């Protein structure tokens, strides 16, 4: 079945090229800008004309079709990405689709966080429930399918861990070889183990994420390897689909706010693209505000907005325990800026202590996530305190990674070993109380019933006190 019909459009200078004409680094040859995938029905910014025949897909027909596919046994229908394939026609032949039945992630309420924050309606869309435990799977199924259709044998990425895990898994499914560049000693063990488990060639470079990107760029310029970092616009076509799935789960109601963590800064713009497309096609009446939260130690976008209104990026030497977002020179910062501006969202930064508290709070609701995902709740607290988000507004946090991705962080937190003494003294009195209530270090006891009973008794007294 022939379904592909798309072009790539430079987000900076507007130049349009055929998808197959793109260079190995996915950058415009005229201005070095990044591309967006566009379709004949896309709304083109700056009054440019649509790609060709602009007949819009019918909104009710799409809703019906997407619902119908839920009962199908075909793998492309069971995938929470390809079920929406009408809005991402990027492969000619569906036989090339590489899927692990990604997407279909749950939407949870967070009643305790809602109560504590005085916001009636806080939900978490848990993208960590994807096959390799992070939101990257939705993008990898899309980009790997294109790589497979274009006949690539090798794919590669630089990663803080989740991209590499997802790429390695999807490449293995496709029977392709993958090369992973990761900063040595700076990614969580769970993620490192995944790329080995899925058979990737894993190369730990003695540098940071930004240094890995530089080496990878040279490599793909010299060899026929498809670059699978998020500069690859096909990744973002997959990563926009959680926006579709989310509003479908809400029976086509649109929340007021979406909050995402910011690292290389592609995901916020992918979701914003998904919402904009649905709005343009009449599937939803308005677009939610998409806000991006960075860790204080890896805050180039926040800093640039503060210091020059987002005119130029101020790269930083990144450092945060939320290793997934330990990025100082994010490739997609202009796309992120555009997402903030078009949706009306904000960029905030949160401290290491705020991240740890938010992660423990999400964990205490029985959900759990990796540290980078917890910046969303920490950021929400700030936006509420600043009066930017009100009590009746509906908020969806995008939890990007599973709690098991970084169990070392969680264990260190509960054992009270995460922070330096200096960092601990920076925690406010009220937050100290919250931390104390949330910390559940393991108790080591002799295997003797009386000893265990006594320990339990004292714990129960604590609970009832
Ligand atoms: N959350 C998690 C768990 C991530 O792994 C990442 C990025 C982000 C948030 C940020 O998303 O880059 O689109 O702003 N991880 C990449 C990686 C960089 O290599 O796994 P972004």
């Amino acid at each position: 079945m022939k379904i592909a019909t798309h072009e790539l459009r430079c987000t900076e200078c507007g130049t349009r090229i055929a998808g197959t004409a793109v260079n190995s680094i996915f950058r415009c040859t005229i201005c070095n800008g990044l591309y967006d995938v566009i379709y004949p029905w896309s709304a083109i910014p700056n009054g440019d004309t649509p790609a060709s025949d602009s007949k819009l897909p019918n909104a009710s027909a799409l809703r019906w079709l997407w619902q119908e596919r839920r009962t199908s046994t075909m793998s492309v229908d069971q995938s929470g990405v390809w079920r929406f394939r009408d809005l991402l026609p990027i492969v000619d032949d569906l036989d090339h689709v590489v899927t692990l039945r990604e997407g279909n992630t749950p939407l949870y309420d967070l009643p305790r966080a809602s109560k504590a924050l005085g916001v009636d309606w806080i939900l978490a869309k848990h993208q960590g429930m994807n096959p390799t435990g992070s939101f990257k799977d939705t993008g990898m199924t899309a980009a790997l399918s294109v790589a497979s259709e274009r006949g690539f044998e090798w794919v590669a990425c630089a990663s803080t861990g989740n991209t590499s895990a997802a790429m390695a898994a999807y490449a293995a499914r496709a029977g392709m070889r993958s090369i992973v560049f990761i900063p040595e000693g700076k990614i969580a063990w769970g993620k490192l183990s995944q790329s080995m488990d899925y058979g990737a060639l894993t190369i730990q470079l003695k540098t940071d994420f930004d240094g890995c990107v530089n080496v990878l760029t040279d490599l793909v310029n010299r060899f026929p390897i498809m670059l699978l970092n998020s500069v690859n616009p096909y990744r973002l076509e997959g990563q926009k689909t959680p926006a579709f799935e989310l509003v479908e789960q809400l029976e086509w109601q649109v929340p007021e706010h979406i909050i995402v963590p910011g690292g290389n800064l592609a995901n916020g713009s992918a979701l914003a693209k998904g919402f904009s497309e649905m709005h343009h096609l009449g599937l939803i009446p308005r677009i939610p505000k998409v806000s991006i939260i960075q860790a204080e130690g890896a805050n180039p976008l926040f800093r640039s907005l503060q210091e020059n209104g987002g005119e130029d990026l101020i790269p930083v030497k990144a450092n945060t325990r939320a290793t997934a977002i330990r990025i100082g020179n994010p490739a997609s910062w202009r796309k992120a800026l555009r997402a903030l501006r078009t949706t009306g969202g904000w960029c905030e930064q949160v401290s290491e202590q705020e991240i740890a508290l938010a992660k423990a709070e999400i964990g205490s609701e029985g959900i759990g996530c990796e540290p980078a995902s917890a910046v969303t709740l920490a950021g929400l607290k700030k936006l509420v305190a600043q009066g930017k988000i009100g009590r009746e507004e509906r908020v969806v946090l995008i939890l990007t990674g599973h709690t098991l991705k970084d169990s070392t962080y969680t264990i260190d937190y509960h054992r009270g070993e995460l922070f330096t003494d200096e960092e601990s003294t920076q925690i406010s009195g009220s937050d100290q109380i919250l931390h104390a209530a949330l910390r559940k270090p393991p108790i080591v006891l002799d295997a003797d019933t009386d000893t265990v009973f006594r320990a339990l008794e004292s714990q129960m007294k604590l609970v009832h006190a």
Side-chain angles (χ1 to χ4, degrees), residues 440-455:
K440 304 284 179 219
I443 307 167
V444 182
L445 295 174
D446 286 332
D448 163 64
T449 314
D450 286 343
T451 316
V452 173
F453 272 28
R454 271 197 302 280

Side-chain angles (χ1 to χ4, degrees), residues 394-415:
R394 295 163 296 182
V395 183
V396 179
L397 310 179
I398 306 294
L399 301 184
T400 45
H402 198 281
T403 183
L404 292 176
K405 286 279 191 173
D406 193 352
S407 43
T408 311
Y409 180 104
T410 311
I411 292 169
D412 286 351
Y413 171 80
H414 287 282
R415 285 193 169 142

Side-chain angles (χ1 to χ4, degrees), residues 222-238:
R222 288 200 223 159
F223 298 100
I225 300 172
M226 190 186 250
L227 173 66
L228 281 184
N229 275 53
S230 52
V231 292
N232 180 327
Y234 297 110
R235 283 247 330 255
L236 307 191
E237 289 309 286

Side-chain angles (χ1 to χ4, degrees), residues 202-446:
T202 305
I203 302 176
Q204 293 182 279
L205 295 182
K206 294 180 197 305
T207 178
D208 54 12
F209 170 82
D210 304 296
C212 288
V213 170
N214 294 340
V215 173
L216 175 65
T217 307
D218 287 345
L219 186 81
V220 295
N221 271 329
R222 288 200 223 159
F223 298 100
I225 300 172
M226 190 186 250
L227 173 66
L228 281 184
N229 275 53
S230 52
V231 292
N232 180 327
Y234 297 110
R235 283 247 330 255
L236 307 191
E237 289 309 286
Q239 285 177 218
K240 77 185 180 186
T241 61
F244 307 158
E245 191 176 274
L246 170 66
V247 287
E248 193 189 50
Q249 283 168 315
L250 294 173
E251 295 180 345
W252 300 98
Q253 289 182 63
V254 187
E256 276 72 32
H257 298 276
I258 305 290
I259 305 187
V260 297
N264 213 16
L265 294 177
N267 198 39
S269 67
L271 293 169
K273 186 174 192 278
F275 286 114
S276 302
E277 288 179 354
M278 280 191 287
H279 183 241
H280 177 61
L281 297 176
L283 282 154
I284 53 173
R286 56 177 181 77
I287 296 171
K289 292 188 172 79
V290 176
S291 293
I292 299 173
I293 315 296
Q294 297 198 295
E296 266 178 21
N299 64 352
L301 182 64
F302 176 81
R303 209 157 163 187
S304 310
L305 283 163
Q306 297 291 308
E307 292 181 23
N308 61 40
E311 214 36 50
D312 287 306
L313 185 77
I314 306 169
V316 302
K317 189 92 195 131
N319 194 12
T320 168
R321 292 182 183 85
T323 50
I325 51 174
R326 195 178 201 266
I327 296 175
N329 190 12
S332 298
W333 70 276
R334 281 188 199 278
K335 282 193 177 186
L337 200 60
R338 193 185 55 182
L340 294 178
R341 291 194 172 138
T342 54
T343 68
W346 297 279
C347 182
E348 254 306 335
Q349 62 169 359
V350 290
S351 69
E352 294 295 297
Q353 295 89 336
E354 288 165 337
I355 296 171
L357 181 58
K359 178 173 145 47
E361 286 168 330
I362 294 167
S364 77
E365 303 231 26
I367 292 176
C369 64
E370 68 165 283
S373 309
V375 303
T376 54
L377 178 60
L380 171 62
K381 292 183 195 175
K382 291 210 158 156
L383 295 175
V384 170
Q386 293 160 7
K388 289 174 175 155
I389 294 183
R391 175 171 199 125
E392 319 71 34
E393 291 186 303
R394 295 163 296 182
V395 183
V396 179
L397 310 179
I398 306 294
L399 301 184
T400 45
H402 198 281
T403 183
L404 292 176
K405 286 279 191 173
D406 193 352
S407 43
T408 311
Y409 180 104
T410 311
I411 292 169
D412 286 351
Y413 171 80
H414 287 282
R415 285 193 169 142
E417 293 165 4
L418 191 64
F419 297 125
T420 60
D421 290 346
E422 197 193 334
E423 285 174 314
S424 296
T425 56
Q426 290 160 358
I427 302 174
S428 70
S430 54
D431 280 0
Q432 296 276 13
I433 295 170
L434 292 174
H435 279 296
L438 288 162
R439 275 209 180 99
K440 304 284 179 219
I443 307 167
V444 182
L445 295 174
D446 286 332

